[in-house]
Amino acid sequence: EEIIFTGGGTESVNTAIRSCIRERPNRRLVITSQVEHSAVRELLEDFEPHGIETIKLPNDSNGVVDIDVLSGLLDERAADVAMVSVMWANNETGVIEPIEAVADLCQTHGVLFHSDGTQWVGKMPADVSTIPFDMLSFAPHKFHGPKGVGVLYVRAGTPYHPQVIGGGQERGRRGGTENVPSIVGLGTACALADQWMKHSGPESMDALRNEFDQLLVKALPTAC
């Protein structure tokens, strides 16, 4: 009941952001990072002429957001914040953000937290019972599932407003006939990813990545 099927990761991200802004109209500030996917970045730019302020958290040389700055902002302006949106893993650099710390800060200050988990879910364990996401977006084509379907996790009790209206699909939360074959494929991809992770999949991938890195640097010393 906390899962909404969408047409892809971008729609899931857009729905989460639009919903948070719509459901908290007196809060006109969104806090995000400087390294977000365009689905977050460009949507927030589109909102700016309509009075939505965006603050992009500074990051270190590796692209990791500054938690202390976020903490200070929430101490000062939590009542103004419609949501915080920080991606779980970067789609270009692979950098992993301190999602647990971000989520805990948001929960402490009563601020909605969304994460774009598209590059994480299916590759690494993702247990929403241990991290207080309000919303989490992802898509199965990143872990060998079909294109054309996405997922938006919405924690029970989270204020929500649909982006696609018209029809009672997804319990009235996303209108339009569902892409059933792709949803079935999504379920199969999730089950296979779960088995892969339980049988040392991430460890094997890490070893292959390190071997590739070593061979690359050996063949092209200037690459490092």
Side-chain angles (χ1 to χ4, degrees), residues 75-110:
D75 284 341
E76 295 174 7
R77 301 190 62 185
D80 300 327
V81 180
M83 68 181 303
V84 173
S85 184
V86 175
M87 69 186 348
W88 203 335
N90 189 274
N91 56 298
E92 295 182 357
T93 66
V95 170
I96 299 168
E97 299 293 349
I99 291 302
E100 293 86 350
V102 175
D104 289 342
L105 279 172
C106 290
Q107 187 178 52
T108 298
H109 288 83

PDB file of all heavy atoms in Angstrom, residues 75-110:
ATOM      1  N   ASP A  75      17.800  23.980  11.611  1.00  0.00           N
ATOM      2  CA  ASP A  75      17.656  24.670  12.902  1.00  0.00           C
ATOM      3  C   ASP A  75      17.028  26.049  12.716  1.00  0.00           C
ATOM      4  O   ASP A  75      16.198  26.484  13.524  1.00  0.00           O
ATOM      5  CB  ASP A  75      19.028  24.829  13.575  1.00  0.00           C
ATOM      6  CG  ASP A  75      19.543  23.535  14.187  1.00  0.00           C
ATOM      7  OD1 ASP A  75      18.725  22.616  14.414  1.00  0.00           O
ATOM      8  OD2 ASP A  75      20.769  23.441  14.429  1.00  0.00           O
ATOM      9  N   GLU A  76      17.421  26.734  11.645  1.00  0.00           N
ATOM     10  CA  GLU A  76      16.979  28.107  11.422  1.00  0.00           C
ATOM     11  C   GLU A  76      15.656  28.206  10.665  1.00  0.00           C
ATOM     12  O   GLU A  76      14.839  29.088  10.950  1.00  0.00           O
ATOM     13  CB  GLU A  76      18.050  28.871  10.637  1.00  0.00           C
ATOM     14  CG  GLU A  76      19.370  29.043  11.382  1.00  0.00           C
ATOM     15  CD  GLU A  76      20.436  29.675  10.514  1.00  0.00           C
ATOM     16  OE1 GLU A  76      20.103  30.102   9.375  1.00  0.00           O
ATOM     17  OE2 GLU A  76      21.599  29.744  10.940  1.00  0.00           O
ATOM     18  N   ARG A  77      15.448  27.281   9.697  1.00  0.00           N
ATOM     19  CA  ARG A  77      14.339  27.506   8.765  1.00  0.00           C
ATOM     20  C   ARG A  77      13.447  26.284   8.544  1.00  0.00           C
ATOM     21  O   ARG A  77      12.748  26.199   7.528  1.00  0.00           O
ATOM     22  CB  ARG A  77      14.900  27.964   7.419  1.00  0.00           C
ATOM     23  CG  ARG A  77      15.722  29.237   7.484  1.00  0.00           C
ATOM     24  CD  ARG A  77      16.039  29.750   6.089  1.00  0.00           C
ATOM     25  NE  ARG A  77      14.835  30.088   5.343  1.00  0.00           N
ATOM     26  CZ  ARG A  77      14.819  30.476   4.057  1.00  0.00           C
ATOM     27  NH1 ARG A  77      15.967  30.567   3.398  1.00  0.00           N
ATOM     28  NH2 ARG A  77      13.679  30.748   3.449  1.00  0.00           N
ATOM     29  N   ALA A  78      13.407  25.370   9.466  1.00  0.00           N
ATOM     30  CA  ALA A  78      12.612  24.149   9.270  1.00  0.00           C
ATOM     31  C   ALA A  78      11.158  24.462   8.933  1.00  0.00           C
ATOM     32  O   ALA A  78      10.533  23.769   8.122  1.00  0.00           O
ATOM     33  CB  ALA A  78      12.694  23.262  10.506  1.00  0.00           C
ATOM     34  N   ALA A  79      10.608  25.502   9.533  1.00  0.00           N
ATOM     35  CA  ALA A  79       9.204  25.843   9.302  1.00  0.00           C
ATOM     36  C   ALA A  79       8.948  26.314   7.873  1.00  0.00           C
ATOM     37  O   ALA A  79       7.792  26.332   7.422  1.00  0.00           O
ATOM     38  CB  ALA A  79       8.759  26.927  10.287  1.00  0.00           C
ATOM     39  N   ASP A  80      10.006  26.689   7.142  1.00  0.00           N
ATOM     40  CA  ASP A  80       9.862  27.150   5.760  1.00  0.00           C
ATOM     41  C   ASP A  80      10.059  26.033   4.740  1.00  0.00           C
ATOM     42  O   ASP A  80       9.773  26.218   3.555  1.00  0.00           O
ATOM     43  CB  ASP A  80      10.901  28.239   5.457  1.00  0.00           C
ATOM     44  CG  ASP A  80      10.778  29.448   6.360  1.00  0.00           C
ATOM     45  OD1 ASP A  80       9.644  29.786   6.753  1.00  0.00           O
ATOM     46  OD2 ASP A  80      11.822  30.059   6.673  1.00  0.00           O
ATOM     47  N   VAL A  81      10.558  24.886   5.201  1.00  0.00           N
ATOM     48  CA  VAL A  81      11.013  23.845   4.272  1.00  0.00           C
ATOM     49  C   VAL A  81       9.868  22.908   3.871  1.00  0.00           C
ATOM     50  O   VAL A  81       9.293  22.211   4.709  1.00  0.00           O
ATOM     51  CB  VAL A  81      12.163  23.025   4.886  1.00  0.00           C
ATOM     52  CG1 VAL A  81      12.627  21.942   3.904  1.00  0.00           C
ATOM     53  CG2 VAL A  81      13.326  23.934   5.248  1.00  0.00           C
ATOM     54  N   ALA A  82       9.574  22.895   2.573  1.00  0.00           N
ATOM     55  CA  ALA A  82       8.559  21.969   2.051  1.00  0.00           C
ATOM     56  C   ALA A  82       9.092  20.548   2.015  1.00  0.00           C
ATOM     57  O   ALA A  82       8.360  19.587   2.264  1.00  0.00           O
ATOM     58  CB  ALA A  82       8.118  22.394   0.652  1.00  0.00           C
ATOM     59  N   MET A  83      10.401  20.411   1.702  1.00  0.00           N
ATOM     60  CA  MET A  83      11.003  19.091   1.621  1.00  0.00           C
ATOM     61  C   MET A  83      12.519  19.223   1.481  1.00  0.00           C
ATOM     62  O   MET A  83      13.040  20.273   1.116  1.00  0.00           O
ATOM     63  CB  MET A  83      10.477  18.314   0.412  1.00  0.00           C
ATOM     64  CG  MET A  83      10.931  18.893  -0.927  1.00  0.00           C
ATOM     65  SD  MET A  83      10.304  18.022  -2.371  1.00  0.00           S
ATOM     66  CE  MET A  83      10.873  16.359  -2.118  1.00  0.00           C
ATOM     67  N   VAL A  84      13.196  18.125   1.780  1.00  0.00           N
ATOM     68  CA  VAL A  84      14.608  17.956   1.460  1.00  0.00           C
ATOM     69  C   VAL A  84      14.700  16.803   0.478  1.00  0.00           C
ATOM     70  O   VAL A  84      14.075  15.756   0.684  1.00  0.00           O
ATOM     71  CB  VAL A  84      15.451  17.655   2.714  1.00  0.00           C
ATOM     72  CG1 VAL A  84      16.885  17.304   2.336  1.00  0.00           C
ATOM     73  CG2 VAL A  84      15.426  18.838   3.682  1.00  0.00           C
ATOM     74  N   SER A  85      15.448  16.976  -0.602  1.00  0.00           N
ATOM     75  CA  SER A  85      15.618  15.912  -1.590  1.00  0.00           C
ATOM     76  C   SER A  85      17.105  15.742  -1.883  1.00  0.00           C
ATOM     77  O   SER A  85      17.746  16.642  -2.433  1.00  0.00           O
ATOM     78  CB  SER A  85      14.866  16.232  -2.889  1.00  0.00           C
ATOM     79  OG  SER A  85      14.961  15.165  -3.815  1.00  0.00           O
ATOM     80  N   VAL A  86      17.649  14.594  -1.463  1.00  0.00           N
ATOM     81  CA  VAL A  86      19.058  14.280  -1.691  1.00  0.00           C
ATOM     82  C   VAL A  86      19.154  12.874  -2.260  1.00  0.00           C
ATOM     83  O   VAL A  86      18.600  11.929  -1.691  1.00  0.00           O
ATOM     84  CB  VAL A  86      19.887  14.380  -0.391  1.00  0.00           C
ATOM     85  CG1 VAL A  86      21.323  13.935  -0.627  1.00  0.00           C
ATOM     86  CG2 VAL A  86      19.847  15.801   0.168  1.00  0.00           C
ATOM     87  N   MET A  87      19.835  12.724  -3.394  1.00  0.00           N
ATOM     88  CA  MET A  87      19.941  11.416  -4.037  1.00  0.00           C
ATOM     89  C   MET A  87      20.761  10.458  -3.175  1.00  0.00           C
ATOM     90  O   MET A  87      21.622  10.863  -2.390  1.00  0.00           O
ATOM     91  CB  MET A  87      20.548  11.547  -5.431  1.00  0.00           C
ATOM     92  CG  MET A  87      21.995  11.947  -5.429  1.00  0.00           C
ATOM     93  SD  MET A  87      22.717  12.274  -7.071  1.00  0.00           S
ATOM     94  CE  MET A  87      21.563  11.698  -8.261  1.00  0.00           C
ATOM     95  N   TRP A  88      20.496   9.149  -3.346  1.00  0.00           N
ATOM     96  CA  TRP A  88      21.180   8.143  -2.544  1.00  0.00           C
ATOM     97  C   TRP A  88      22.584   7.887  -3.091  1.00  0.00           C
ATOM     98  O   TRP A  88      23.573   7.921  -2.368  1.00  0.00           O
ATOM     99  CB  TRP A  88      20.361   6.856  -2.531  1.00  0.00           C
ATOM    100  CG  TRP A  88      20.620   5.956  -1.358  1.00  0.00           C
ATOM    101  CD1 TRP A  88      21.754   5.896  -0.602  1.00  0.00           C
ATOM    102  CD2 TRP A  88      19.722   5.005  -0.791  1.00  0.00           C
ATOM    103  NE1 TRP A  88      21.627   4.961   0.401  1.00  0.00           N
ATOM    104  CE2 TRP A  88      20.382   4.389   0.300  1.00  0.00           C
ATOM    105  CE3 TRP A  88      18.431   4.600  -1.108  1.00  0.00           C
ATOM    106  CZ2 TRP A  88      19.785   3.395   1.063  1.00  0.00           C
ATOM    107  CZ3 TRP A  88      17.830   3.610  -0.341  1.00  0.00           C
ATOM    108  CH2 TRP A  88      18.515   3.027   0.734  1.00  0.00           C
ATOM    109  N   ALA A  89      22.684   7.626  -4.392  1.00  0.00           N
ATOM    110  CA  ALA A  89      23.974   7.412  -5.057  1.00  0.00           C
ATOM    111  C   ALA A  89      23.965   8.183  -6.370  1.00  0.00           C
ATOM    112  O   ALA A  89      22.964   8.188  -7.090  1.00  0.00           O
ATOM    113  CB  ALA A  89      24.217   5.929  -5.314  1.00  0.00           C
ATOM    114  N   ASN A  90      25.085   8.825  -6.660  1.00  0.00           N
ATOM    115  CA  ASN A  90      25.138   9.677  -7.835  1.00  0.00           C
ATOM    116  C   ASN A  90      25.228   8.862  -9.115  1.00  0.00           C
ATOM    117  O   ASN A  90      26.003   7.904  -9.212  1.00  0.00           O
ATOM    118  CB  ASN A  90      26.336  10.626  -7.736  1.00  0.00           C
ATOM    119  CG  ASN A  90      26.325  11.681  -8.819  1.00  0.00           C
ATOM    120  OD1 ASN A  90      26.806  11.456  -9.922  1.00  0.00           O
ATOM    121  ND2 ASN A  90      25.747  12.833  -8.510  1.00  0.00           N
ATOM    122  N   ASN A  91      24.465   9.256 -10.118  1.00  0.00           N
ATOM    123  CA  ASN A  91      24.382   8.506 -11.369  1.00  0.00           C
ATOM    124  C   ASN A  91      25.599   8.696 -12.267  1.00  0.00           C
ATOM    125  O   ASN A  91      25.799   7.939 -13.219  1.00  0.00           O
ATOM    126  CB  ASN A  91      23.107   8.904 -12.144  1.00  0.00           C
ATOM    127  CG  ASN A  91      23.022  10.384 -12.416  1.00  0.00           C
ATOM    128  OD1 ASN A  91      22.970  11.187 -11.485  1.00  0.00           O
ATOM    129  ND2 ASN A  91      22.997  10.760 -13.676  1.00  0.00           N
ATOM    130  N   GLU A  92      26.460   9.685 -11.986  1.00  0.00           N
ATOM    131  CA  GLU A  92      27.641   9.922 -12.808  1.00  0.00           C
ATOM    132  C   GLU A  92      28.939   9.548 -12.103  1.00  0.00           C
ATOM    133  O   GLU A  92      29.865   9.048 -12.740  1.00  0.00           O
ATOM    134  CB  GLU A  92      27.690  11.392 -13.249  1.00  0.00           C
ATOM    135  CG  GLU A  92      26.534  11.774 -14.181  1.00  0.00           C
ATOM    136  CD  GLU A  92      26.611  13.217 -14.647  1.00  0.00           C
ATOM    137  OE1 GLU A  92      27.533  13.935 -14.205  1.00  0.00           O
ATOM    138  OE2 GLU A  92      25.747  13.614 -15.445  1.00  0.00           O
ATOM    139  N   THR A  93      29.016   9.786 -10.808  1.00  0.00           N
ATOM    140  CA  THR A  93      30.260   9.538 -10.080  1.00  0.00           C
ATOM    141  C   THR A  93      30.204   8.304  -9.195  1.00  0.00           C
ATOM    142  O   THR A  93      31.243   7.796  -8.773  1.00  0.00           O
ATOM    143  CB  THR A  93      30.608  10.741  -9.186  1.00  0.00           C
ATOM    144  OG1 THR A  93      29.609  10.876  -8.153  1.00  0.00           O
ATOM    145  CG2 THR A  93      30.658  12.022 -10.011  1.00  0.00           C
ATOM    146  N   GLY A  94      29.005   7.838  -8.859  1.00  0.00           N
ATOM    147  CA  GLY A  94      28.870   6.697  -7.965  1.00  0.00           C
ATOM    148  C   GLY A  94      29.006   7.048  -6.492  1.00  0.00           C
ATOM    149  O   GLY A  94      28.923   6.167  -5.632  1.00  0.00           O
ATOM    150  N   VAL A  95      29.194   8.333  -6.184  1.00  0.00           N
ATOM    151  CA  VAL A  95      29.355   8.748  -4.793  1.00  0.00           C
ATOM    152  C   VAL A  95      28.074   8.479  -4.004  1.00  0.00           C
ATOM    153  O   VAL A  95      26.971   8.769  -4.465  1.00  0.00           O
ATOM    154  CB  VAL A  95      29.717  10.254  -4.711  1.00  0.00           C
ATOM    155  CG1 VAL A  95      29.654  10.748  -3.271  1.00  0.00           C
ATOM    156  CG2 VAL A  95      31.094  10.480  -5.280  1.00  0.00           C
ATOM    157  N   ILE A  96      28.244   7.922  -2.818  1.00  0.00           N
ATOM    158  CA  ILE A  96      27.113   7.590  -1.953  1.00  0.00           C
ATOM    159  C   ILE A  96      26.935   8.701  -0.931  1.00  0.00           C
ATOM    160  O   ILE A  96      27.881   9.075  -0.229  1.00  0.00           O
ATOM    161  CB  ILE A  96      27.339   6.240  -1.253  1.00  0.00           C
ATOM    162  CG1 ILE A  96      27.474   5.128  -2.301  1.00  0.00           C
ATOM    163  CG2 ILE A  96      26.207   5.932  -0.277  1.00  0.00           C
ATOM    164  CD1 ILE A  96      27.987   3.825  -1.734  1.00  0.00           C
ATOM    165  N   GLU A  97      25.733   9.248  -0.850  1.00  0.00           N
ATOM    166  CA  GLU A  97      25.456  10.331   0.082  1.00  0.00           C
ATOM    167  C   GLU A  97      25.084   9.775   1.467  1.00  0.00           C
ATOM    168  O   GLU A  97      24.596   8.648   1.574  1.00  0.00           O
ATOM    169  CB  GLU A  97      24.331  11.219  -0.448  1.00  0.00           C
ATOM    170  CG  GLU A  97      24.630  11.887  -1.780  1.00  0.00           C
ATOM    171  CD  GLU A  97      25.760  12.928  -1.702  1.00  0.00           C
ATOM    172  OE1 GLU A  97      26.173  13.276  -0.580  1.00  0.00           O
ATOM    173  OE2 GLU A  97      26.220  13.377  -2.762  1.00  0.00           O
ATOM    174  N   PRO A  98      25.285  10.563   2.533  1.00  0.00           N
ATOM    175  CA  PRO A  98      24.977  10.117   3.901  1.00  0.00           C
ATOM    176  C   PRO A  98      23.482  10.171   4.185  1.00  0.00           C
ATOM    177  O   PRO A  98      22.993  10.967   5.000  1.00  0.00           O
ATOM    178  CB  PRO A  98      25.763  11.115   4.765  1.00  0.00           C
ATOM    179  CG  PRO A  98      25.800  12.364   3.945  1.00  0.00           C
ATOM    180  CD  PRO A  98      25.913  11.904   2.509  1.00  0.00           C
ATOM    181  N   ILE A  99      22.756   9.304   3.500  1.00  0.00           N
ATOM    182  CA  ILE A  99      21.300   9.342   3.527  1.00  0.00           C
ATOM    183  C   ILE A  99      20.729   9.149   4.933  1.00  0.00           C
ATOM    184  O   ILE A  99      19.751   9.795   5.318  1.00  0.00           O
ATOM    185  CB  ILE A  99      20.738   8.274   2.562  1.00  0.00           C
ATOM    186  CG1 ILE A  99      21.044   8.674   1.120  1.00  0.00           C
ATOM    187  CG2 ILE A  99      19.237   8.091   2.754  1.00  0.00           C
ATOM    188  CD1 ILE A  99      20.485  10.025   0.720  1.00  0.00           C
ATOM    189  N   GLU A 100      21.323   8.238   5.704  1.00  0.00           N
ATOM    190  CA  GLU A 100      20.807   7.985   7.048  1.00  0.00           C
ATOM    191  C   GLU A 100      20.846   9.250   7.890  1.00  0.00           C
ATOM    192  O   GLU A 100      19.879   9.582   8.595  1.00  0.00           O
ATOM    193  CB  GLU A 100      21.597   6.870   7.731  1.00  0.00           C
ATOM    194  CG  GLU A 100      21.430   5.501   7.099  1.00  0.00           C
ATOM    195  CD  GLU A 100      22.394   5.246   5.951  1.00  0.00           C
ATOM    196  OE1 GLU A 100      23.073   6.223   5.515  1.00  0.00           O
ATOM    197  OE2 GLU A 100      22.470   4.099   5.494  1.00  0.00           O
ATOM    198  N   ALA A 101      21.949  10.003   7.810  1.00  0.00           N
ATOM    199  CA  ALA A 101      22.088  11.234   8.587  1.00  0.00           C
ATOM    200  C   ALA A 101      21.097  12.294   8.110  1.00  0.00           C
ATOM    201  O   ALA A 101      20.493  13.012   8.921  1.00  0.00           O
ATOM    202  CB  ALA A 101      23.521  11.758   8.485  1.00  0.00           C
ATOM    203  N   VAL A 102      20.925  12.401   6.786  1.00  0.00           N
ATOM    204  CA  VAL A 102      19.966  13.362   6.235  1.00  0.00           C
ATOM    205  C   VAL A 102      18.553  13.025   6.700  1.00  0.00           C
ATOM    206  O   VAL A 102      17.794  13.901   7.146  1.00  0.00           O
ATOM    207  CB  VAL A 102      20.032  13.384   4.692  1.00  0.00           C
ATOM    208  CG1 VAL A 102      18.941  14.288   4.129  1.00  0.00           C
ATOM    209  CG2 VAL A 102      21.398  13.841   4.212  1.00  0.00           C
ATOM    210  N   ALA A 103      18.194  11.755   6.600  1.00  0.00           N
ATOM    211  CA  ALA A 103      16.852  11.324   6.994  1.00  0.00           C
ATOM    212  C   ALA A 103      16.592  11.582   8.469  1.00  0.00           C
ATOM    213  O   ALA A 103      15.504  12.042   8.856  1.00  0.00           O
ATOM    214  CB  ALA A 103      16.675   9.838   6.672  1.00  0.00           C
ATOM    215  N   ASP A 104      17.567  11.305   9.304  1.00  0.00           N
ATOM    216  CA  ASP A 104      17.395  11.518  10.744  1.00  0.00           C
ATOM    217  C   ASP A 104      17.202  12.999  11.076  1.00  0.00           C
ATOM    218  O   ASP A 104      16.364  13.358  11.914  1.00  0.00           O
ATOM    219  CB  ASP A 104      18.603  10.971  11.507  1.00  0.00           C
ATOM    220  CG  ASP A 104      18.653   9.455  11.521  1.00  0.00           C
ATOM    221  OD1 ASP A 104      17.614   8.823  11.255  1.00  0.00           O
ATOM    222  OD2 ASP A 104      19.736   8.900  11.794  1.00  0.00           O
ATOM    223  N   LEU A 105      17.976  13.869  10.411  1.00  0.00           N
ATOM    224  CA  LEU A 105      17.817  15.303  10.633  1.00  0.00           C
ATOM    225  C   LEU A 105      16.425  15.783  10.225  1.00  0.00           C
ATOM    226  O   LEU A 105      15.786  16.559  10.937  1.00  0.00           O
ATOM    227  CB  LEU A 105      18.873  16.079   9.849  1.00  0.00           C
ATOM    228  CG  LEU A 105      20.264  16.189  10.464  1.00  0.00           C
ATOM    229  CD1 LEU A 105      21.235  16.819   9.475  1.00  0.00           C
ATOM    230  CD2 LEU A 105      20.222  17.018  11.752  1.00  0.00           C
ATOM    231  N   CYS A 106      15.960  15.304   9.074  1.00  0.00           N
ATOM    232  CA  CYS A 106      14.636  15.705   8.595  1.00  0.00           C
ATOM    233  C   CYS A 106      13.546  15.235   9.546  1.00  0.00           C
ATOM    234  O   CYS A 106      12.606  15.975   9.863  1.00  0.00           O
ATOM    235  CB  CYS A 106      14.394  15.155   7.193  1.00  0.00           C
ATOM    236  SG  CYS A 106      15.396  15.933   5.908  1.00  0.00           S
ATOM    237  N   GLN A 107      13.661  14.014  10.009  1.00  0.00           N
ATOM    238  CA  GLN A 107      12.679  13.477  10.945  1.00  0.00           C
ATOM    239  C   GLN A 107      12.661  14.285  12.244  1.00  0.00           C
ATOM    240  O   GLN A 107      11.597  14.603  12.786  1.00  0.00           O
ATOM    241  CB  GLN A 107      12.975  12.013  11.228  1.00  0.00           C
ATOM    242  CG  GLN A 107      11.905  11.308  12.062  1.00  0.00           C
ATOM    243  CD  GLN A 107      12.216   9.841  12.267  1.00  0.00           C
ATOM    244  OE1 GLN A 107      13.302   9.490  12.698  1.00  0.00           O
ATOM    245  NE2 GLN A 107      11.265   8.977  11.955  1.00  0.00           N
ATOM    246  N   THR A 108      13.830  14.635  12.743  1.00  0.00           N
ATOM    247  CA  THR A 108      13.937  15.409  13.972  1.00  0.00           C
ATOM    248  C   THR A 108      13.259  16.766  13.849  1.00  0.00           C
ATOM    249  O   THR A 108      12.622  17.254  14.795  1.00  0.00           O
ATOM    250  CB  THR A 108      15.417  15.615  14.348  1.00  0.00           C
ATOM    251  OG1 THR A 108      16.022  14.343  14.581  1.00  0.00           O
ATOM    252  CG2 THR A 108      15.559  16.479  15.594  1.00  0.00           C
ATOM    253  N   HIS A 109      13.359  17.382  12.662  1.00  0.00           N
ATOM    254  CA  HIS A 109      12.813  18.725  12.458  1.00  0.00           C
ATOM    255  C   HIS A 109      11.414  18.711  11.833  1.00  0.00           C
ATOM    256  O   HIS A 109      10.869  19.783  11.533  1.00  0.00           O
ATOM    257  CB  HIS A 109      13.754  19.542  11.574  1.00  0.00           C
ATOM    258  CG  HIS A 109      15.018  19.959  12.261  1.00  0.00           C
ATOM    259  ND1 HIS A 109      16.121  19.124  12.362  1.00  0.00           N
ATOM    260  CD2 HIS A 109      15.359  21.106  12.915  1.00  0.00           C
ATOM    261  CE1 HIS A 109      17.079  19.748  13.017  1.00  0.00           C
ATOM    262  NE2 HIS A 109      16.663  20.943  13.362  1.00  0.00           N
ATOM    263  N   GLY A 110      10.834  17.531  11.624  1.00  0.00           N
ATOM    264  CA  GLY A 110       9.492  17.459  11.054  1.00  0.00           C
ATOM    265  C   GLY A 110       9.414  17.902   9.612  1.00  0.00           C
ATOM    266  O   GLY A 110       8.405  18.470   9.168  1.00  0.00           O
TER     267      GLY A 110
END
